[in-house]
Amino acid sequence: MNDSALQVQGLRKVYANGKTALDGVDLQVSKGAFHALLGPNGAGKSTLINILADIVRPTSGLAKMFGRDVFHERAWCKRHLGVVPQEVAFDPFFSPVEVLRITSGLFGRKPDDAWINELLDRLGLAEHAHKNTRQLSGGMRRRLLVAQALVHRPSLVVLDEPTAGVDVELRRSLWAFMRELNRSGTTILLTTHYLEEAEQLCDHVTIIDGGRVVADQSMRELMEVVAGRYLYLGYGDDFELSEADARALSAFRPRVMSGGICLRLGGQGSEGHGFHQVYEAAVSRLGIPRKVEIRQEDLEDVFIRLTGRARHERSRA
Amino acid sequence: MRPLNPYGTWTLFLRETRRFLKVHMQTIVAPALTALLYVLIFRYAMGARSVPGLDVDYLTFLIPGLVMMSMLQNAFANTSSSIIVGKVMNVHIYLLMAPLSAMEIILALVASAVVRAFIVAVAILAALWVFVDIPLSSVSLIMLYGLCGSMLMGGLGIIAGIWAEKFDDIALINNFVIMPLTFLSGVFYSVAQLPPFWQQINRYNPFFYLIDGFRHGFVGVGDTDPHASIGLVAGATTICILACWQLWRTGWRMKP
């Protein structure tokens, strides 16, 4: 039994201008997962999503959706896929209700008005349902894109930065809605810049950088094993790290942060450097700090560390 | 077997048709008014003269040509503007993401262009019928040439829309290709009045056959044999639609 909603193998994309956006990406999204696809700007996330959506042509590689070949059984796959594009798109001739009825129809489904009303309601668009889309704010247009992606009830929903420009309250209600959909069996692949939200929502995470996968783990595993602890030493607002000090402490991957420095400790598996070793090395270079804290890395820290490291490794190669 | 999506095709056709109906002042009333103004101007400029060599009253000769010219221009405008608006507003991605085959998309777009062309034609004729006696020689010729012409131009509009990157590109094609070709194809005069060199050139102008055949359907005379030209016109239309289909399938200028 194949229980993956999406399986991507060796996907490559080289654009006409010679830029390699995807350099052999493998990705597996399990059925029913809430999967985060993270990466810095230009990492290739949108290219990957746009290839699945048939907006961009792949250079080579394979993709399967629910076991079917995406590139050969396009129509079937498209009916089961809903994509929220990163770039805002709106039809200036129609109202949100009309746009949703049209989108549903284009996907081969007679518009289901009860579902359309529910979507408008859940996405905070009900009172704007009959306005022209030109009158909608940027945030509303973006929420309309979410509704458009869901209107044909796809089994796999891909959200490419769905909350950019959406205010906090609506973002929360959007996530609550996505959670509900996920619980009722919809597989969700999400890219977002709000890593805190990804950490809370997603059960699996793939990080890509420079067109390659640099991490692919369950969220829990990533946060327990990969996410380490670090030592924060506060020296005051005017703190600066000299190059010589940075070099001397490079084994601990120093990072300047809010008037102090972060130095990496070992992970929970206790490999790496112990507290005393790191603390003494730092004090011998920088003096006694005013503040000492041991902090657990969050997803953002891991993300910066992994994508930073990936860049470093490639430039050496 | 490629799974078909007739409901999606129908929806796309309806979307395109509603789109131009929503802005009917621009898409139907304005072109009809332009045609009426031409008739008015030529009525006073030319008086009751008849067309040399054809023995037809000039106004009777002019009106079918103007109607066909409006049909051709509006069919082109409908598909080309739809695609370029889609590209500029980024909504074209919904056509790419939808489970529609290239042929289904082309057919829906062209069908809507044909509908617009016929609505414009009916609007012009209805307004003129009050003032001018318009003969009807062969309805089937009118329908056939009208259909082929608007399909051909709908197809060319698709190609232009696929090629274009901004609104200006469409305006460029409109002003430098579509307008000269339609204006010089015998809308305002019989091609027999042209010098031999230009008559020769016009033999390769598909719009010339379209306008002449269409006019034949009204006045019963013309520069060509409309029954002999049908094959040529239908062939050009088919080639154009197949070219659209092929372009859309490859994703040229639509999918990076």
Side-chain angles (χ1 to χ4, degrees):
Chain A
M1 251 320 270
N2 191 335
D3 62 351
S4 67
L6 180 68
Q7 232 180 330
V8 171
Q9 272 171 27
L11 198 61
R12 276 174 53 79
K13 174 63 188 178
V14 182
Y15 283 105
N17 62 11
K19 194 193 162 233
T20 302
L22 296 178
D23 194 10
V25 166
D26 296 325
L27 173 69
Q28 177 143 354
V29 178
S30 307
K31 256 183 218 168
F34 205 133
H35 193 121
L37 176 65
L38 308 177
N41 286 330
K45 302 176 303 262
S46 290
T47 298
L48 172 60
I49 289 167
N50 288 342
I51 286 175
L52 297 175
D54 201 15
I55 298 170
V56 167
R57 287 174 281 179
T59 303
S60 62
L62 298 171
K64 278 185 177 177
M65 207 179 282
F66 302 103
R68 307 228 190 181
D69 191 315
V70 172
F71 305 135
H72 290 102
E73 290 180 78
R74 270 289 185 203
W76 189 93
C77 291
K78 283 174 166 189
R79 280 174 199 260
H80 291 81
L81 174 68
V83 173
V84 181
Q86 188 173 57
E87 264 183 76
V88 169
F90 73 97
D91 200 323
F93 294 93
F94 298 108
S95 69
V97 169
E98 289 170 313
V99 165
L100 291 176
R101 295 182 62 101
I102 289 167
T103 311
S104 178
L106 291 179
F107 279 82
R109 272 184 96 109
K110 284 220 167 67
D112 172 350
D113 285 327
W115 177 233
I116 287 175
N117 288 335
E118 192 184 336
L119 285 173
L120 289 167
D121 193 43
R122 294 299 302 260
L123 293 162
L125 291 167
E127 57 185 303
H128 311 286
H130 297 282
K131 288 182 184 168
N132 186 290
T133 49
R134 262 181 293 206
Q135 294 165 269
L136 302 185
S137 70
M140 290 178 204
R141 285 176 189 168
R142 202 168 273 284
R143 280 178 272 141
L144 180 58
L145 297 182
V146 177
Q148 277 181 273
L150 300 174
V151 74
H152 59 290
R153 295 185 183 272
S155 327
L156 172 62
V157 175
V158 179
L159 304 114
D160 195 357
E161 295 288 346
T163 49
V166 173
D167 65 50
V168 184
E169 199 181 319
L170 281 160
R171 223 159 71 205
R172 256 186 227 131
S173 71
L174 174 69
W175 292 139
F177 189 23
M178 290 304 122
R179 263 209 179 110
E180 242 173 74
L181 279 176
N182 181 242
R183 264 188 226 117
S184 66
T186 308
T187 307
I188 298 180
L189 179 64
L190 166 74
T191 86
T192 178
H193 270 107
Y194 299 100
L195 296 182
E196 245 183 80
E197 292 172 349
E199 190 176 336
Q200 287 166 19
L201 284 165
C202 300
D203 43 43
H204 200 100
V205 57
T206 303
I207 300 179
I208 64 173
D209 185 30
R212 289 177 155 277
V213 174
V214 295
D216 181 44
Q217 260 152 330
S218 76
M219 188 64 81
R220 196 198 291 162
E221 207 175 36
L222 188 79
M223 297 320 295
E224 281 179 1
V225 180
V226 180
R229 289 170 309 149
Y230 59 87
L231 182 63
Y232 171 79
L233 304 175
Y235 287 96
D237 288 338
D238 52 355
F239 173 78
E240 273 174 42
L241 185 65
S242 75
E243 234 175 87
D245 290 336
R247 222 174 303 121
L249 298 171
S250 67
F252 314 120
R253 303 182 191 284
R255 202 148 53 87
V256 176
M257 196 176 85
S258 51
I261 183 171
C262 291
L263 298 164
R264 187 157 148 72
L265 297 169
Q268 286 191 340
S270 86
E271 37 150 321
H273 309 283
F275 170 79
H276 289 288
Q277 188 190 356
V278 177
Y279 182 76
E280 274 157 31
V283 169
S284 72
R285 300 289 311 188
L286 307 170
I288 307 281
R290 286 187 221 161
K291 199 172 166 191
V292 179
E293 271 175 28
I294 291 176
R295 294 183 186 170
Q296 178 71 30
E297 277 188 319
D298 61 14
L299 181 59
E300 183 127 20
D301 298 314
V302 175
F303 175 82
I304 290 168
R305 185 155 58 77
L306 289 179
T307 54
R309 190 178 65 188
R311 230 177 252 127
H312 183 61
E313 275 173 1
R314 211 179 32 256
S315 63
R316 248 191 338 208
Chain B
M1 217 357 232
R2 200 176 263 281
L4 299 173
N5 183 359
Y7 192 76
T9 313
W10 173 243
T11 304
L12 180 56
F13 167 75
L14 282 185
R15 184 190 91 174
E16 291 301 296
T17 305
R18 275 204 230 129
R19 194 179 64 81
F20 78 72
L21 287 178
K22 281 207 176 194
V23 285
H24 56 269
M25 284 306 272
Q26 267 179 62
T27 54
I28 295 160
V29 179
L33 187 68
T34 308
L36 293 180
L37 287 172
Y38 274 119
V39 173
L40 199 69
I41 290 163
F42 282 99
R43 169 75 186 81
Y44 287 106
M46 306 291 282
R49 246 178 282 181
S50 65
V51 184
L54 283 181
D55 194 30
V56 181
D57 169 56
Y58 183 71
L59 221 50
T60 312
F61 175 88
L62 174 69
I63 288 168
L66 273 177
V67 170
M68 185 56 155
M69 187 178 83
S70 306
M71 289 180 82
L72 298 177
Q73 287 173 353
N74 280 283
F76 179 84
N78 207 54
T79 48
S80 61
S81 71
S82 169
I83 295 180
I84 195 66
V85 169
K87 274 190 189 177
V88 171
M89 305 303 287
N90 199 33
V91 274
H92 71 300
I93 60 170
Y94 285 96
L95 281 192
L96 300 175
M97 291 199 289
L100 286 163
S101 67
M103 197 39 113
E104 287 170 321
I105 289 171
I106 303 300
L107 286 181
L109 295 180
V110 168
S112 177
V114 170
V115 169
R116 171 156 157 197
F118 274 89
I119 291 178
V120 170
V122 168
I124 299 171
L125 287 170
L128 285 172
W129 226 291
V130 186
F131 311 103
V132 192
D133 191 24
I134 301 165
L136 267 183
S137 164
S138 160
V139 175
S140 54
L141 269 186
I142 294 171
M143 297 307 278
L144 206 62
Y145 272 89
L147 185 67
C148 273
S150 42
M151 282 181 75
L152 177 69
M153 290 305 274
L156 288 180
I158 291 176
I159 295 173
I162 291 175
W163 169 80
E165 274 164 359
K166 48 191 191 302
F167 292 110
D168 301 1
D169 296 336
I170 295 291
L172 201 76
I173 300 184
N174 230 329
N175 292 327
F176 291 94
V177 183
I178 305 302
M179 286 292 272
L181 276 178
T182 46
F183 264 63
L184 300 175
S185 303
V187 172
F188 300 99
Y189 47 79
S190 161
V191 179
Q193 293 165 265
L194 288 177
F197 172 73
W198 290 106
Q199 285 193 33
Q200 205 53 40
I201 293 278
N202 244 339
R203 289 186 170 277
Y204 301 101
N205 177 358
F207 300 103
F208 161 63
Y209 293 97
L210 284 168
I211 289 171
D212 200 63
F214 187 73
R215 176 184 291 129
H216 219 292
F218 286 90
V219 299
V221 289
D223 293 319
T224 60
D225 175 358
H227 299 283
S229 314
I230 281 177
L232 190 141
V233 167
T237 305
T238 310
I239 290 171
C240 179
I241 298 296
L242 288 177
C244 291
W245 175 58
Q246 194 54 32
L247 280 183
W248 196 283
R249 257 162 39 108
T250 58
W252 181 70
R253 289 241 188 190
M254 297 292 282
K255 289 194 259 174

